[in-house]
C-alpha cells in the first residue's frame, strides 16, 4: 500500500488515497519516493485543460531510493538514489539513435491500453480498479513503479528535495540553455516567466557565461528571485512597452528569447524580443488552440522559432551533471525552492501555484 494524490475529477483537486503497486516487471524499477516538485504542467491536467484517462496520479519531478528492480534492469540497483524524468527513452528509435531522445515516443517504455494494471486501488467488497500512470511517472505517491529508462542514479550526498526539481523544471530550463540554444559566452538571453523553469534557465544562462540575461515577469518578487539567480536586468512582462525595454537593454534585441510560462502573450513577447538571427524557444504548455508565428520581416531577419520539450535533455548524462553543478555551488537550487510541504497539503500547494507568487513547492515524504 502506498499513499498517493489521485486525480478523480478535473477541476476538483486531488484526493489522498491508498494504492496497491505491483512488483516490477523485467524492465521496471520500484522507487520509494522521497520528494516531488509541483509543476505547472500537472495543473493543466488537474484543472482539465489537457485530457487524461482517470483516475490517475500526477507528479513528474521526483527523487527517491530504489526499492526493487525487475530481472532485466541493469542501469540502477536497490539502494541507489535516483531522479526520475518523464522523458522515458526506448534507446533504438530514430530519435534516440540520432541523439534526440527527449522526442522519443517508443512504445516499449509506455504502458498500453491492454497492459496489466501496475497500480490499482480498492473499491470496497474485494473489487479493485486500475489507477492510470501520468507522464510515465505518477510521482505524487509514496511509491513509483517506472521504466528503468525513466530514472538515473545520482550522488548520494545530494539532498532529495533539490534533486527532485532537477527532474523537470531544472532539466527543462538548463537543458534549453545548454542543449537547445547552445548559448556561448557573451550571447544575450531574455527569459519570459520566472517560475521554476524560467529561473533555472536564468541560472543556467549565467553558468554558460551569457552576456545580458533579461528576466521578464509581472511580479516584483519573482523578478527579485531572477536577479538572485543571475538576471542582469528585469522587466515587468505586462508593461505595454516590455518588448521595447528588452530591445533597449539588449541594444537591438536578444540572441535567445525563451518563453517559460505557457501563454500566448509570453510567447509573442519572446518573439518580439529577438535581434536579427535570434531564436525564440517556446517551453510552456500553451492552451491547445494557441499559435506562435514569425512575420515576413522576422523571417527576412533570419529569426527562428522552436520548441525544446524538456530542454531537449539526454537526462542520463544531463541530470548527474546538474547534480554536480549544485554540489559545486554553481547551480542555485536553494533559491528556486519556495517551500516544502507534506502530501496532504498538495492541493494548497497547487492553489499557490495558480496565484503565481512562489517559485517551487516540493512535497517531501518521510
Ligand atoms: Zn514539469
Ligand atoms: Zn526512442
Amino acid at each position: 500500500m502506498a499513499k498517493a494524490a489521485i486525480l478523480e475529477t478535473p477541476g476538483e483537486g486531488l484526493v489522498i488515497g491508498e494504492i496497491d503497486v505491483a512488483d516490477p516487471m523485467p524492465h521496471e524499477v520500484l522507487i520509494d519516493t522521497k520528494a516531488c516538485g509541483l509543476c505547472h504542467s500537472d495543473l493543466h491536467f488537474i484543472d482539465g485543460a489537457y485530457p487524461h484517462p482517470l483516475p490517475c496520479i500526477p507528479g513528474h519531478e521526483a527523487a527517491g531510493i530504489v526499492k526493487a528492480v525487475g530481472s532485466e534492469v541493469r542501469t540502477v540497483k536497490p539502494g541507489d538514489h535516483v531522479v526520475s524524468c518523464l522523458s522515458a527513452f526506448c534507446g533504438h528509435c530514430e530519435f534516440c539513435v540520432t541523439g534526440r531522445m527527449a522526442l522519443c515516443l517508443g512504445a516499449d517504455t509506455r504502458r498500453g491500453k491492454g497492459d496489466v494494471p501496475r497500480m490499482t486501488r480498492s473499491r470496497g467488497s474485494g473489487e479493485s480498479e486500475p489507477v492510470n500512470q501520468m507522464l510515465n511517472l505518477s510521482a505524487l505517491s509514496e511509491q513509483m513503479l517506472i521504466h528503468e529508462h525513466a530514472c538515473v542514479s545520482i550522488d548520494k550526498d545530494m539532498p532529495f528535495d533539490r534533486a527532485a526539481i532537477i527532474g523537470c523544471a531544472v532539466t527543462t530550463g538548463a537543458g534549453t540553455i545548454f542543449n537547445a540554444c547552445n548559448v556561448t559566452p557573451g550571447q544575450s538571453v531574455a527569459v519570459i516567466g520566472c517560475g521554476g523553469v524560467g529561473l533555472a534557465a536564468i541560472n543556467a544562462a549565467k553558468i554558460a557565461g551569457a552576456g545580458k540575461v533579461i528576466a521578464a515577469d509581472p511580479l516584483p518578487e519573482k523578478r527579485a528571485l531572477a536577479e538572485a539567480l543571475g538576471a542582469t536586468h528585469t522587466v515587468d512582462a505586462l508593461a505595454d512597452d516590455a518588448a521595447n525595454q528588452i530591445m533597449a537593454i539588449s541594444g537591438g534585441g536578444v540572441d535567445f528569447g525563451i518563453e517559460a510560462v505557457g501563454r500566448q502573450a509570453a510567447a509573442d513577447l519572446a518573439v518580439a524580443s529577438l535581434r536579427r538571427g535570434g531564436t525564440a524557444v517556446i517551453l510552456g504548455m500553451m492552451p491547445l488552440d494557441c499559435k506562435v508565428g514569425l512575420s515576413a520581416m522576422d523571417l527576412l531577419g533570419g529569426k527562428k522559432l522552436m520548441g525544446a520539450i524538456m530542454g531537449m535533455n539526454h537526462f542520463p548524462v544531463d541530470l548527474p551533471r546538474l547534480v554536480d553543478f549544485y554540489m559545486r555551488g554553481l547551480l542555485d537550487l536553494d533559491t528556486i525552492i519556495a517551500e516544502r510541504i507534506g502530501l496532504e497539503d498538495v492541493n494548497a500547494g497547487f492553489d499557490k501555484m495558480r496565484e503565481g507568487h512562489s517559485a517551487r513547492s516540493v512535497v517531501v515524504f518521510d
Side-chain angles (χ1 to χ4, degrees):
M1 287 285 239
K3 211 178 356 158
I6 303 166
L7 178 63
E8 294 177 346
T9 313
E12 292 182 13
L14 303 176
V15 178
I16 306 298
E18 302 252 303
I19 59 162
D20 285 305
V21 182
D23 291 331
M25 302 240 265
H27 285 285
E28 286 180 336
V29 180
L30 180 65
I31 295 167
D32 283 329
T33 314
K34 292 295 174 189
C36 177
L38 302 189
C39 175
H40 216 272
S41 306
D42 289 319
L43 209 51
H44 294 299
F45 296 101
I46 293 169
D47 291 346
Y50 281 61
H52 200 281
L54 301 168
C56 63
I57 300 173
H60 60 268
E61 186 176 89
I65 301 177
V66 175
K67 188 181 172 71
V69 299
S71 57
E72 297 297 320
V73 172
R74 300 290 179 270
T75 52
V76 296
K77 57 184 185 308
D80 278 3
H81 293 195
V82 292
V83 176
S84 65
C85 185
L86 67 88
S87 306
F89 62 96
C90 75
H92 53 77
C93 72
E94 173 195 344
F95 301 107
C96 285
V97 299
T98 53
R100 298 171 294 164
M101 46 198 288
L103 297 179
C104 175
L105 288 174
D108 38 351
T109 60
R110 268 70 177 170
R111 286 181 194 158
K113 269 205 171 122
D115 290 5
V116 184
R118 319 299 295 136
M119 299 187 294
T120 54
R121 66 172 175 175
S122 166
R123 300 182 70 186
S125 65
E127 303 253 309
S128 71
E129 68 171 345
V131 177
N132 293 287
Q133 191 178 45
M134 186 184 282
L135 299 175
N136 305 314
L137 298 175
S138 284
L140 282 171
S141 167
E142 289 174 336
Q143 291 195 329
M144 284 190 277
L145 183 63
I146 65 177
H147 195 276
E148 64 171 317
H149 287 175
C151 66
V152 61
S153 74
I154 56 157
D155 190 330
K156 286 187 177 170
D157 290 334
M158 181 70 182
F160 286 113
D161 52 359
R162 278 143 278 178
I165 64 165
I166 291 182
C168 177
V170 176
T171 287
T172 301
T176 297
I177 296 294
F178 299 139
N179 301 330
C181 299
N182 291 308
V183 171
T184 56
Q187 283 189 310
S188 51
V189 176
V191 176
I192 320 300
C194 298
V197 172
L199 291 173
I202 287 163
N203 201 212
K206 177 189 172 187
I207 294 170
K212 296 211 166 69
V213 181
I214 305 165
D217 197 282
L219 297 169
E221 61 265 39
K222 291 260 185 89
R223 297 200 293 270
L225 281 175
E227 282 179 349
L229 285 159
T232 59
H233 300 76
T234 62
V235 168
D236 178 350
L238 293 184
D240 290 338
D241 64 341
N244 287 339
Q245 288 185 50
I246 294 172
M247 284 288 158
I249 294 165
S250 57
V254 293
D255 293 298
F256 298 102
I258 297 170
E259 193 279 349
V261 184
R263 291 212 183 103
Q264 181 79 53
D268 293 342
L269 180 56
V271 171
S273 303
L274 298 178
R275 74 195 303 112
R276 287 171 67 80
T279 302
V281 188
I282 312 302
L283 298 178
M285 283 174 75
M286 297 201 288
L288 289 167
D289 57 355
C290 277
K291 260 193 183 154
V292 191
L294 294 175
S295 70
M297 279 306 290
D298 289 335
L299 292 165
L300 288 170
K303 295 178 186 176
K304 294 176 280 296
L305 174 63
M306 66 178 182
I309 186 163
M310 292 298 291
M312 293 304 286
N313 69 79
H314 339 87
F315 79 84
V317 173
D318 296 352
L319 292 187
R321 285 184 182 174
L322 291 168
V323 166
D324 183 54
F325 281 2
Y326 173 76
M327 304 292 261
R328 284 159 56 200
L330 290 170
L331 187 65
D332 179 3
L333 303 174
D334 304 287
T335 302
I336 295 176
I337 297 179
E339 61 166 5
R340 291 154 183 86
I341 59 175
L343 185 65
E344 56 286 350
D345 294 321
V346 68
N347 288 315
F350 280 115
D351 286 342
K352 250 183 219 163
M353 186 186 291
R354 283 187 197 88
E355 290 160 16
H357 286 274
S358 60
R360 211 71 173 171
S361 303
V362 179
V363 170
V364 288
F365 298 82
D366 350 283

